[in-house]
Amino acid sequence: MPLPMGHTAIGLATYELSTNNNSKTNSLKLIIFLTILANLPDFDVIFGLLIKWNGNAFHRGPTHSLIFALIMGFLASRAWKLSSQIPRIKFGVCFLIILSHVIADFFFTSSPVSFFWPIEVSWSSGYSGWGDVLSSVFFQGFQDAGIIIGSAISIILIRLIKGHQQTLFGFKIRQKPLTK
Ligand SMILES: [Zn+2]
């Protein structure tokens, strides 16, 4: 079951895969921003905890949908206008990172997501209080070890492939300058 660390790892791998420039995910601001994007759909747990004292109350509803990824991806790609601290990332990349969360939940867990909300909605069932949520965030990350290792290997492979793309048959290919 992907927890924040697992989602973050998948989000970072998605970023590597979806950006065509050779920018590396080594700036702290970028990693923080990508971590927030990769975990954005699970902010519904916080609302459940605050309003109903149950993290599952509003979990896996509208935030786990294609429409949410499109809207929040758009807003995230414009967020740099609010503060110079926020990295500027293209809409498509933001969208894919948020979508990677929903897809990971779909494939790695048994409970459904609300992919086509508002046509379908699959709320999470059961109860999870503050203690359950906090302990799963901080102490159960090891459950995602397979996902984290898989993502790390993907990132290394993607970087290797990108490195190779700059030289083709021994000729250096000029990289496209970053568009402003
Ligand atoms: Zn989720």
Side-chain angles (χ1 to χ4, degrees):
M1 150 181 166
L3 291 160
M5 271 163 64
H7 280 303
T8 302
I10 294 170
L12 295 179
T14 306
Y15 177 80
E16 285 286 330
L17 196 62
S18 54
T19 48
N20 48 18
N21 59 47
N22 232 28
S23 62
K24 300 247 193 304
T25 44
N26 52 10
S27 120
L28 184 63
K29 281 177 205 163
L30 179 63
I31 289 175
I32 292 171
F33 191 64
L34 296 177
T35 302
I36 293 171
L37 286 185
N39 290 284
L40 205 56
D42 279 351
F43 277 63
D44 58 2
V45 172
I46 297 170
F47 287 111
L49 284 173
L50 290 175
I51 297 167
K52 297 221 165 180
W53 228 241
N54 175 8
N56 280 355
F58 308 115
H59 191 35
R60 298 223 169 170
T63 59
H64 286 66
S65 69
L66 186 64
I67 287 182
F68 180 84
L70 282 168
I71 294 172
M72 296 312 287
F74 176 77
L75 294 177
S77 68
R78 296 284 180 279
W80 60 272
K81 290 182 178 175
L82 300 174
S83 161
S84 59
Q85 300 295 313
I86 300 174
R88 190 172 178 171
I89 303 175
K90 282 180 186 164
F91 160 68
V93 179
C94 294
F95 163 71
L96 284 177
I97 293 168
I98 301 170
L99 193 71
S100 79
H101 177 113
V102 184
I103 292 170
D105 273 353
F106 178 78
F107 281 109
F108 295 117
T109 67
S110 51
S111 22
V113 293
S114 304
F115 196 78
F116 293 110
W117 180 85
I119 297 166
E120 59 156 15
V121 66
S122 313
W123 300 106
S124 198
S125 57
Y127 172 81
S128 79
W130 282 96
D132 303 311
V133 172
L134 292 175
S135 80
S136 65
V137 167
F138 292 107
F139 302 114
Q140 288 172 29
F142 64 88
Q143 288 180 354
D144 288 349
I147 292 174
I148 293 165
I149 292 167
S151 302
I153 292 171
S154 310
I155 291 172
I156 292 166
L157 287 176
I158 295 161
R159 285 188 179 177
L160 282 174
I161 294 166
K162 277 184 186 173
H164 275 291
Q165 278 174 347
Q166 286 169 64
T167 52
L168 186 69
F169 307 118
F171 293 101
K172 274 222 165 190
I173 302 167
R174 205 157 56 98
Q175 262 194 287
K176 263 195 279 180
L178 287 173
T179 44
K180 286 207 171 162

